Amino acid sequence: MKGLIDDHVKEEILVRQALEIGLDRDDTVVRRRLRQKMEFLNAADAETLTATDAELDAYLKANAATFEIDPMLAFQQIVLNPQRHGEAIEQKAAAILEVLLSQPAADPTSLGDASLLPPELPLTSKTSIGQTFGADFAEELDKISAGQWTGPVKSGFGLHLIRVSERVPGRVPALEVVRDAVAREWTNAKRKELEDQRFTELLKRYVVSIESPAGAETGP
């Protein structure tokens, strides 16, 4: 017990002495810690706020894109390797597409180039497709009508002839499905709003003077 008391007394005396001689000034670590503590105060106040169902529903509708469930797509593909076909790849793609459209019984797996990519993908989220084939590919794929071969669609792997076999549209879920996520984001937004309000009030107490380096252009 004596050791704990002695250590506390020592800490208190050294902290007071450090403040007296200004060791807290111009210290990046101390400044960051003080800023953190002020921000923690705002965060603690925001955590005590509780949103009503009406507030959460309004936040969900106003930020629908944040909570939207991704579209899902299933498709077949025929891949053409640009290293194999060079400048003739577009003509090759057009010829294969003509075969697919004129001969419905044609075997798609026999028409393209050998590839490690699967000839058919089950229902997969648009985001995952974009991660594999590229965002532009996913966007183009999402525009294709289901049930018919079309293309070519370009990716980093080459040219693809595509047949979308199934599509599940993206949608904004009901509040009860994503309540926890919406409540979390609502709290984060309130925290930011509270922090901005308090900082605006604090800023009114100060005059901010910005000194430009010698010779630097200044605004009007």
Side-chain angles (χ1 to χ4, degrees):
M1 179 63 73
K2 182 179 184 304
L4 292 173
I5 293 173
D6 289 346
D7 186 67
H8 177 75
V9 171
K10 181 177 181 180
E11 178 181 290
E12 186 66 25
I13 291 174
L14 292 178
V15 168
R16 292 189 183 192
Q17 187 64 22
L19 292 172
E20 184 178 329
I21 63 178
L23 294 184
D24 58 313
R25 300 168 195 161
D26 301 321
D27 187 309
T28 302
V29 175
V30 173
R31 289 170 61 87
R32 286 177 180 170
R33 183 58 180 158
L34 291 174
R35 173 179 175 170
Q36 275 186 335
K37 296 191 77 170
M38 291 295 295
E39 290 174 344
F40 287 157
L41 291 176
N42 293 332
D45 288 343
E47 293 295 340
T48 64
L49 299 175
T50 302
T52 64
D53 284 353
E55 288 174 320
L56 292 179
D57 190 56
Y59 187 84
L60 172 59
K61 291 176 179 177
N63 300 274
T66 301
F67 305 99
E68 184 178 10
I69 296 175
D70 225 16
M72 304 274 289
L73 296 139
F75 63 96
Q76 294 173 273
Q77 63 177 340
I78 296 172
V79 185
L80 295 177
N81 189 333
Q83 294 182 348
R84 178 174 179 181
H85 300 284
E87 295 181 358
I89 192 169
E90 294 279 355
Q91 291 84 349
K92 179 66 174 178
I96 293 176
L97 182 59
E98 183 177 350
V99 171
L100 291 168
L101 295 177
S102 62
Q103 303 177 33
D107 180 11
T109 60
S110 66
L111 298 176
D113 297 331
S115 171
L116 295 177
L117 296 173
E120 187 169 355
L121 268 73
L123 277 175
T124 305
S125 72
K126 181 179 175 181
T127 297
S128 295
I129 293 171
Q131 290 171 346
T132 301
F133 296 92
D136 290 342
F137 180 94
E139 288 297 331
E140 287 299 316
L141 192 69
D142 197 24
K143 299 174 184 176
I144 294 174
S145 299
Q148 182 169 305
W149 285 98
T150 188
V153 180
K154 187 176 182 180
S155 80
F157 299 103
L159 293 186
H160 305 246
L161 295 171
I162 298 291
R163 178 183 176 273
V164 174
S165 53
E166 188 176 358
R167 170 185 280 106
V168 178
R171 67 191 188 281
V172 178
L175 176 61
E176 55 266 23
V177 177
V178 288
R179 176 181 295 276
D180 290 345
V182 174
R184 182 173 57 251
E185 292 303 317
W186 181 90
T187 300
N188 289 338
K190 285 297 180 182
R191 180 188 299 117
K192 180 65 167 60
E193 181 182 333
L194 185 61
E195 181 179 325
D196 289 345
Q197 287 176 351
R198 289 185 172 175
F199 181 73
T200 299
E201 290 302 316
L202 288 173
L203 187 60
K204 293 177 181 178
R205 305 180 187 179
Y206 296 86
V207 175
V208 179
S209 177
I210 301 175
E211 298 182 358
S212 301
E217 293 185 3
T218 58

